[in-house]
């Protein structure tokens, strides 16, 4: 018989992940700060818990997927937190994107009660959570990784044990550096193409299959050209992750020229009230500097 499982944090990601656990046949006990978000999942077979401590008291494995480091600390350690219901031998799997250093501290506190922890941040967005195709990068002891594997397999497709506690979060930050610096390149290239009077769709078609191709170029490039700012991942959440990158880089002594530039550009967009737009709206910060827009009719005619 499989282990009992609990899930805390039913946001964009958590909803899809719980649904896939249920589909795989695991009974799931759920808790969310805003209770109404449990209702649909309860109708689909989940059991509503009254607090994180209640989740822990009835679950051998407890997954958390909340926003930021203080939020993970809140559901684990604050009033009615997991720690007050958990027993020695339980396993906490944190799927939120949070600080690698804080992850090590949190794992240490849980260990004092004999509770194990894996950090298991995600990549693949809301679509990956809904389809069960997430990439999951896992830090922690291999024994606990193997114990958690059936649950990971229900929620994700590419599941990689990357190292010890905190390594999952560090790999996730590597992912975020690649995402934003690539998006800066895509934005700058489209500004250049616009100024050169090029047909932007044809330009994307011409370069996407070559050495410059990337997921961001193929998926977010066309959105920029169409001026569609629907978020796959919001500027506000992206900025939270870049803060984590820069804090970690500071402790490691690594210069982060590209990432810090993007961090500052996103900050200007947040000041304009654009934090809920998709991270590809980065191009708007370049447009503000250049004084023209990608996708508008007012183009230079130099190469037409
Ligand atoms: P979301 O939709 O904003 O949901 C956040 C969840 O955290 C909600 O359930 C929220 O509860 C809960 N929460 C926040 N602060 C809390 C607190 N102090 N106490 C208790 N609950 C709290 O976010 P999401 O998109 O699901 O993202 C969750 C995590 O996955 C984040 O760390 C994010 O960076 C990461 N992630 C997201 C994506 C993506 O594409 N969305 C991709 C990869 C990784 P309420 O409902 O009460 O607000």
């Amino acid at each position: 018989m499989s282990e009992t499982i609990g899930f805390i944090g039913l946001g964009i990601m958590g909803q899809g992940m719980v649904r896939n656990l249920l589909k795989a046949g695991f009974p799931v006990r759920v808790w969310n700060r805003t209770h109404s978000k449990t209702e649909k999942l309860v109708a689909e077979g989940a059991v509503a818990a009254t607090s994180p401590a209640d989740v822990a008291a009835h679950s051998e494995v407890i997954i958390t997927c909340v926003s930021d480091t203080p939020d993970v600390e809140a559901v684990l350690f604050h009033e009615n937190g997991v720690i007050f219901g958990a027993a020695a031998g339980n396993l906490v799997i944190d799927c939120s994107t949070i600080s690698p250093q804080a992850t090590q501290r949190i794992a240490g506190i849980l260990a004092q009660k004999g509770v194990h922890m894996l950090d298991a941040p995600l990549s693949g967005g809301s679509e990956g959570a809904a389809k069960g195709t997430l990439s999951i990068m896992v830090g922690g002891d291999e024994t606990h990784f193997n114990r958690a594997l059936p649950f990971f397999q229900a929620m994700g497709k590419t599941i990689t044990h990357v190292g010890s506690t905190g390594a999952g979060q560090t790999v996730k930050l590597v992912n975020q550096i690649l995402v934003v610096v690539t998006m800066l390149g895509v934005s700058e290239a489209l500004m250049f193409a616009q100024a050169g009077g090029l047909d932007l769709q044809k330009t994307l078609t011409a370069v996407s299959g070559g050495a410059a191709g990337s997921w961001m170029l193929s998926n977010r490039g066309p959105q920029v050209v169409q001026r569609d700012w629907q978020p796959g991942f919001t500027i506000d959440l992206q900025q939270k992750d870049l803060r984590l990158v820069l804090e970690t880089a500071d402790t490691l002594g690594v210069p982060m020229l590209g990432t810090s530039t993007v961090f500052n550009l996103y900050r200007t967009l947040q000041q304009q009230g654009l934090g809920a737009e998709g991270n590809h709206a980065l191009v708007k910060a370049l447009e503000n500097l250049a004084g023209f827009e990608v996708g508008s009719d007012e183009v230079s005619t130099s190469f037409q």
Side-chain angles (χ1 to χ4, degrees):
M1 212 174 97
S2 78
E3 294 194 281
T4 47
I5 181 151
F7 203 108
I8 295 168
L10 307 174
I12 292 175
M13 301 300 281
Q15 292 279 338
M17 292 161 77
V18 168
R19 207 159 270 130
N20 284 318
L21 286 166
L22 290 169
K23 270 191 213 154
F26 298 114
V28 190
R29 186 171 290 260
V30 294
W31 181 85
N32 194 65
R33 180 178 59 182
T34 307
H35 181 73
S36 57
K37 287 191 196 168
T38 59
E39 285 163 10
K40 268 192 188 164
L41 292 170
V42 167
E44 293 171 39
V47 175
T50 55
S51 67
D54 182 39
V55 170
H58 294 91
S59 312
E60 289 153 302
V61 175
I62 303 126
I63 300 179
T64 50
C65 190
V66 294
S67 308
D68 202 349
T69 308
D71 308 312
V72 173
E73 289 169 338
V75 298
L76 292 181
F77 303 132
H78 289 189
E79 197 184 345
N80 289 323
V82 164
I83 196 90
F84 300 105
N90 284 174
L91 174 63
V92 169
I93 304 173
D94 181 32
C95 290
S96 326
T97 303
I98 68 163
S99 153
Q101 298 91 330
T103 294
Q104 289 176 340
R105 205 169 53 238
I106 289 167
I109 298 170
L110 290 171
Q112 287 171 17
K113 209 177 166 182
V115 176
H116 311 297
M117 181 178 177
L118 293 171
D119 47 303
L122 318 162
S123 176
S126 52
E127 202 187 31
K131 289 186 178 163
T133 55
L134 290 167
S135 292
I136 309 179
M137 35 218 104
V138 188
D141 196 282
E142 188 161 10
T143 315
H144 307 316
F145 173 77
N146 289 331
R147 178 177 171 188
L149 202 50
F151 304 119
F152 289 144
Q153 283 165 339
M155 302 184 290
K157 203 169 164 193
T158 308
I159 299 140
T160 316
H161 182 222
V162 293
S164 58
T165 301
Q169 295 294 354
T170 309
V171 171
K172 170 69 187 182
L173 298 184
V174 168
N175 183 79
Q176 298 306 68
I177 295 165
L178 290 165
V179 164
V180 298
V181 177
T182 304
M183 195 58 228
L184 181 60
V186 170
S187 303
E188 198 165 283
L190 286 172
M191 292 292 289
F192 182 86
Q194 176 77 26
L198 297 175
D199 179 314
L200 299 180
Q201 284 297 354
K202 282 186 184 165
T203 305
L204 286 179
T205 305
V207 300
S208 292
S214 68
W215 189 96
M216 290 303 277
L217 182 67
S218 300
N219 290 276
R220 299 298 175 231
Q223 267 192 277
V224 170
V225 171
Q226 288 148 26
R227 304 198 71 73
D228 165 11
W229 311 117
Q230 282 294 316
F233 193 58
T234 65
I235 288 174
D236 282 342
L237 272 182
Q238 183 72 81
Q239 196 67 332
K240 181 256 303 180
D241 292 355
L242 297 192
R243 174 179 52 75
L244 296 171
V245 170
L246 295 176
E247 282 170 5
T248 305
D250 191 35
T251 65
L252 297 173
V254 185
M256 301 298 294
L257 303 185
T259 307
S260 58
T261 299
V262 178
F263 180 81
N264 284 305
L265 292 173
Y266 277 137
R267 178 163 281 169
T268 66
L269 299 179
Q270 286 180 309
Q271 294 294 352
Q272 283 181 257
L274 303 180
E277 293 195 349
N279 57 356
H280 54 293
L282 178 63
V283 73
K284 290 187 179 183
L286 301 190
E287 292 173 344
N288 290 339
L289 292 171
F292 65 89
E293 288 184 350
V294 168
S296 73
D297 292 333
E298 291 165 34
V299 294
S300 147
T301 52
S302 35
F303 298 112
Q304 281 187 322

